[in-house]
């Protein structure tokens, strides 16, 4: 076995490495040309072929994004792996062997469509490869470069990048020991919203066979009108005309700073007349329902039968919103009236809904109640709606509570990731999981993801409106039947 194996791809040979554990790694492989210069704000273009073997020992550049350097409350909880450069439409592959025909998992990272990368060390695919799966992680365009649209040109460039990466997998993965006929695309947060959008996009049809959505579903999109509101304000912040051409002339650091200012403005004054749908979820850059690439909101397309042939596993964390309320100190400042106003804003019967959540949580603070209601509105109920719309979907909930912030962080957003990747020992995850996270939870989740990618069965029955079975992952994992039925019923007809 060579310590520097070479694989031939459509655009040239790549030279990988073999770890002491016998896992082959290939990093920083371009799947599209650098999205700069004439390729800026264009659909992904093929990379230039390279004549000599390309070294694939190190991660490639990541998409331009704001830095998390400093002492902010989320800085330690948002690990990054920063490599600067233009050629950031690249991917990474981990495989146990080159002569196999193994299931393939393709991971789409989260980060509110403005941050993150496929090269965060915690996404290392060694343990997936150890267990007989080829793991691929990808980068894609973020922020304005990926999702800015004024109504002309091609929208949803970030999603088109993901489709280009999946096309690369279809065309090349057999050389890395993967089966192009058995591809599962999975993602977390914005990555989960992405994979649900891909499930609804005609251009992605046939590129994958299964979907896993962690903490995101088919409801997070914006209209063309909202996209124009966001783009126009971004241009005003920059002092340029509201066109892609004008924004393309702005230096990248200035554009990133303007995107950050825009997000702060939305958070400070979340008014629908100013920001459209973005006023509800506070994410300025999201997939756009343009009527062509994304013909309708994903949940509507899926309910109408889009992706009917694709197996789906979807789930959420029990206390998603605590990530955004606890480290910032916001949870301690929430009052009862704020909880009632939020319940009404989210579509719950304000007093009856908040009262039910309070009755089910004796001793809960207003911050606890807001976290529970916001979690269900934005994550749990959309996941159940998608499961109801797509027959045969499997549902899970991650319930293990982090010890961080004196155990107040709870089963928060993104906490499941080190368990899914079985990378509990990664130092970047220590602020999340503490000193002694339960290995048995990682064993259970990691195996379920592998089993699902292999044959579509994660190990428990599918969710149906008649038999609402889900798997709860905790120190003692077990299936549940219509958990919190009374709270679920409050959301009937909503989200």
């Amino acid at each position: 076995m060579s310590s520097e194996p070479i694989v031939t791809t459509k655009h040239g040979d790549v030279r990988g490495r073999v770890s002491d554990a016998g896992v082959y790694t290939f990093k920083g492989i371009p799947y599209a040309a650098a999205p700069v210069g004439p390729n800026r704000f264009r659909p992904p273009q093929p990379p230039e072929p390279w004549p000599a073997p390309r070294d694939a020992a190190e991660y490639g550049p990541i998409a331009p994004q704001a830095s998390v350097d400093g002492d902010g409350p989320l800085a330690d909880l948002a690990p990054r792996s920063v490599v600067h450069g233009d050629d950031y439409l690249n991917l990474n592959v981990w495989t146990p062997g080159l002569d196999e025909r193994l299931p393939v998992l393709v991971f789409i990272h989260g980060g509110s469509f403005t941050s993150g990368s496929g090269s965060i060390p915690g996404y290392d695919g060694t343990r997936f490869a150890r267990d007989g799966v080829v793991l691929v992680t990808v980068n894609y365009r973020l922020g304005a470069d990926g999702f800015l649209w004024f109504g002309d040109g091609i929208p949803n460039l970030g999603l088109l990048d993901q489709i280009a990466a999946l096309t690369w997998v279809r065309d090349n993965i057999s050389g890395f020991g993967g089966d192009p006929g058995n591809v599962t695309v999975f993602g977390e947060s914005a990555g989960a919203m992405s994979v649900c959008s891909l499930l609804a996009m005609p251009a992605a049809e046939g590129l994958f066979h299964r979907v896993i959505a962690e903490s995101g579903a088919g409801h997070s999109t914006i209209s063309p009108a909202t996209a124009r509101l966001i783009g126009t304000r971004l241009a005003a912040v920059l002092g340029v005309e509201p066109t892609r051409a004008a924004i393309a002339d702005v230096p990248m650091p200035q554009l990133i700073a303007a995107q950050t200012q825009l997000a702060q403005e939305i958070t400070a004054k979340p008014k629908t007349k100013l920001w459209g749908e973005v006023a509800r979820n506070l994410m300025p850059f999201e997939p756009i329902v343009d009527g062509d690439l994304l013909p309708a909101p994903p949940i509507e397309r899926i309910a109408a039968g889009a992706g009917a042939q694709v197996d789906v596993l979807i789930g959420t964390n029990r206390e998603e919103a605590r990530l955004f309320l606890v480290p910032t100190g916001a949870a301690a400042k929430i009052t009862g009236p704020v909880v009632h106003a939020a319940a009404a804003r989210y579509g719950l019967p304000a007093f009856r809904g908040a009262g039910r959540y309070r009755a089910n949580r004796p001793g809960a603070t207003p911050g606890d109640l807001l976290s529970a209601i916001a979690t269900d509105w934005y994550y749990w109920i959309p996941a159940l709606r998608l499961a109801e719309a797509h027959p045969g979907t499997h549902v899970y909930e991650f319930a293990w509570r982090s010890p961080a912030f004196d155990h107040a962080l709870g089963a928060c957003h993104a906490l499941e990731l080190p368990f899914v990747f079985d990378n509990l020992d990664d130092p970047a995850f220590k602020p999340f999981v503490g000193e002694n996270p339960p290995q048995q939870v990682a064993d259970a989740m990691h195996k379920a993801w592998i089993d699902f990618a292999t044959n579509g069965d994660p190990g428990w029955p599918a969710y149906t409106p008649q038999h609402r079975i889900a798997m709860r992952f905790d120190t003692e994992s077990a299936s549940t039947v219509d958990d919190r039925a009374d709270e679920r019923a409050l959301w009937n007809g909503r989200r």
Side-chain angles (χ1 to χ4, degrees):
M1 178 175 66
S2 171
S3 62
E4 295 189 356
I6 293 178
V7 172
T8 298
T9 76
K10 286 184 66 176
H11 300 103
D13 292 351
V14 291
R15 181 188 299 109
R17 299 294 186 272
V18 182
S19 71
D20 293 341
V23 171
Y24 296 70
T25 62
F26 299 81
K27 298 177 179 178
I29 304 172
Y31 66 83
V36 298
N39 292 330
R40 187 86 180 273
F41 294 120
R42 291 182 65 198
Q45 303 298 305
E48 287 291 328
W50 49 90
R54 183 187 184 106
D55 194 60
E58 304 293 337
Y59 290 117
I62 70 169
Q65 55 195 269
S67 170
V68 293
D69 293 339
D71 299 320
L74 295 179
D76 288 339
L77 299 176
R80 301 280 178 92
S81 177
V82 178
V83 179
H84 297 290
D86 294 336
D87 210 7
Y88 63 83
L89 295 184
N90 60 65
L91 50 78
N92 314 293
V93 181
W94 290 260
T95 179
L98 305 180
D99 298 321
E100 312 288 342
R101 194 169 178 84
L102 300 170
V104 181
L105 274 163
V106 180
F107 181 66
I108 309 295
H109 70 80
S112 301
F113 296 104
T114 57
S115 67
S117 76
S119 54
I120 291 173
Y123 302 155
D124 182 285
T126 294
R127 278 145 187 173
F128 274 115
R130 172 201 67 190
D131 296 326
V133 173
V134 177
L135 191 283
V136 181
T137 65
V138 307
N139 296 333
Y140 55 98
R141 275 175 280 189
L142 303 171
D145 274 58
F147 298 94
L148 177 72
W149 196 49
F150 294 101
D152 57 335
I154 306 297
N156 294 314
L157 298 176
L159 294 179
L160 291 180
D161 292 342
Q162 296 169 16
I163 290 174
L166 288 165
T167 301
W168 184 97
V169 168
R170 182 196 64 193
D171 294 344
N172 296 283
I173 206 64
S174 60
F176 297 84
D179 180 0
N182 188 8
V183 175
T184 298
V185 58
F186 75 121
E188 183 268 340
S189 192
M193 299 166 196
S194 294
V195 301
C196 291
S197 295
L198 294 173
L199 190 62
M201 294 178 71
E205 188 173 346
L207 292 176
F208 52 89
H209 312 90
R210 299 187 177 95
V211 157
I212 305 174
E214 305 172 29
S215 304
H219 299 69
S220 296
T221 57
I222 60 176
S223 66
T226 292
R228 283 190 288 271
L229 284 174
I230 296 298
T232 300
R233 178 54 190 160
L234 179 67
V237 171
L238 291 167
V240 302
E241 292 296 314
T243 66
R244 278 176 163 176
I247 287 175
D249 287 335
V250 175
M252 185 58 71
Q254 186 179 343
L255 176 57
I256 296 296
Q259 290 179 183
T260 301
Q261 177 181 329
L262 178 65
Q264 292 169 344
E265 290 180 1
I266 295 167
T267 301
K269 190 177 289 187
K271 303 292 186 182
T272 302
K273 68 178 180 180
L274 294 175
W275 312 113
E277 303 97 321
V278 168
R280 303 191 76 191
N281 65 19
L282 309 181
M283 289 198 308
F285 299 104
E286 305 175 56
I288 302 158
V289 179
D290 65 297
D292 183 18
L293 283 170
L294 191 54
I299 187 62
E300 295 180 11
R301 289 270 299 158
I302 293 164
Q309 75 284 4
V310 176
D311 299 327
V312 175
L313 169 61
I314 192 168
T316 59
N317 296 355
R318 182 80 169 196
E319 301 168 299
E320 302 265 9
R322 297 186 78 85
L323 177 64
F324 313 106
L325 296 174
V326 170
T328 62
K333 301 174 183 177
I334 302 300
T335 63
V338 170
V339 174
H340 290 292
R345 179 179 176 82
Y346 297 153
L348 276 181
F351 288 94
R352 183 166 63 87
R356 172 50 55 194
Y357 274 78
R358 184 180 296 108
N360 287 351
R361 294 163 181 78
T365 67
D368 295 334
L369 297 177
L370 178 63
S371 172
I373 292 170
T375 292
D376 290 355
W377 166 70
Y378 195 60
Y379 297 100
W380 185 52
I381 293 300
L384 297 187
R385 294 287 182 262
L386 192 143
E388 293 164 351
H390 188 282
T393 294
H394 292 81
V395 172
Y396 76 90
E397 181 181 67
F398 179 83
W400 182 76
R401 305 192 81 245
S402 168
F405 291 88
D406 196 22
H407 295 273
L409 195 60
C412 70
H413 190 64
L415 183 60
E416 88 289 354
L417 283 168
F419 295 87
V420 166
F421 281 83
D422 193 14
N423 285 336
L424 295 179
D425 55 351
D426 187 275
F429 284 135
K430 184 171 288 188
F432 257 153
V433 301
E435 294 294 337
N436 296 296
Q439 181 61 44
Q440 70 268 27
V441 180
D443 292 343
M445 290 197 84
H446 185 70
K447 182 179 186 299
W449 267 232
I450 290 172
D451 289 347
F452 183 78
T454 301
N455 57 34
D457 182 1
W460 63 91
Y463 185 97
T464 70
Q466 296 76 33
H467 305 286
R468 297 178 179 271
I469 298 174
M471 174 58 68
R472 177 182 295 154
F473 292 104
D474 204 339
T475 49
E476 294 184 7
S477 299
S479 61
T480 63
V481 179
D482 205 3
D483 184 42
R484 297 193 290 132
D486 57 341
E487 292 176 0
R488 176 186 57 76
L490 292 170
W491 298 94
N492 280 347
R494 296 174 176 85
R495 245 318 183 175

